[in-house]
Amino acid sequence: MFGKNAQPPIKSLIAQGSRIEGNLRFTEGLRVDGEVFGDLRANPDQPSILVISEEAVVEGAIDADHVIINGSVKGPVNARELLELQPRARIEGDVSYKALEMHQGAVISGQLKPMLDGEEKPLLKLAAKQLLA
């Protein structure tokens, strides 16, 4: 869905030290460095990206096209296109995805549910450390 240059811009930020209580709908891109106690849902009618940084805590459902997690999430995660789990990602909840990239160290406590288009197999990629020569 996204080429390297075609990703939507991140236009909104929940800064470290901020706390949101309640559901949030967003368009295009959102980065969370603080705490969110509620659902984070992207507009399904346009491409979206959600970044949960290493310091971030989210307690609620997540729904976006491209989801990058390196913090803590308690709740279901739905990545309509790509889910990237960075080394410090911690998820307590079921995860659905079309494509998954998981780095060593990421932890999921829940079920993995690939979203299949017909008989298509889900794309799984284990992100390995590159060896230096």
Side-chain angles (χ1 to χ4, degrees):
M1 174 176 185
F2 302 120
K4 293 236 183 223
N5 298 327
Q7 292 219 354
I10 294 178
K11 293 185 173 181
S12 301
L13 168 69
I14 298 172
Q16 189 172 7
S18 298
R19 178 182 173 121
I20 303 289
E21 295 182 10
N23 299 333
L24 180 65
R25 281 189 137 334
F26 66 95
T27 57
E28 296 185 294
L30 170 65
R31 179 182 171 100
V32 178
D33 291 341
E35 299 176 331
V36 176
F37 295 89
D39 298 345
L40 296 173
R41 297 191 187 279
N43 181 348
D45 297 330
Q46 53 188 163
S48 60
I49 185 169
L50 173 62
V51 178
I52 308 296
S53 77
E54 184 177 335
E55 300 84 18
V57 174
V58 176
E59 290 190 18
I62 288 177
D63 184 38
D65 289 329
H66 184 177
V67 180
I68 302 170
I69 299 175
N70 200 25
S72 173
V73 175
K74 290 184 181 179
V77 175
N78 180 36
R80 296 186 294 255
E81 291 295 328
L82 174 61
L83 174 61
E84 293 182 50
L85 299 178
Q86 301 293 321
R88 296 186 185 261
R90 300 289 177 267
I91 300 175
E92 292 181 34
D94 293 342
V95 175
S96 59
Y97 60 90
K98 191 169 186 180
L100 173 65
E101 179 176 319
M102 186 170 181
H103 289 253
Q104 184 175 354
V107 176
I108 301 171
S109 297
Q111 293 184 351
L112 291 173
K113 302 175 183 177
M115 293 185 292
L116 303 175
D117 293 334
E119 295 299 316
E120 179 181 318
K121 292 183 179 179
L123 175 63
L124 299 175
K125 180 180 177 184
L126 178 60
K129 292 183 181 179
Q130 292 182 351
L131 300 176
L132 299 175

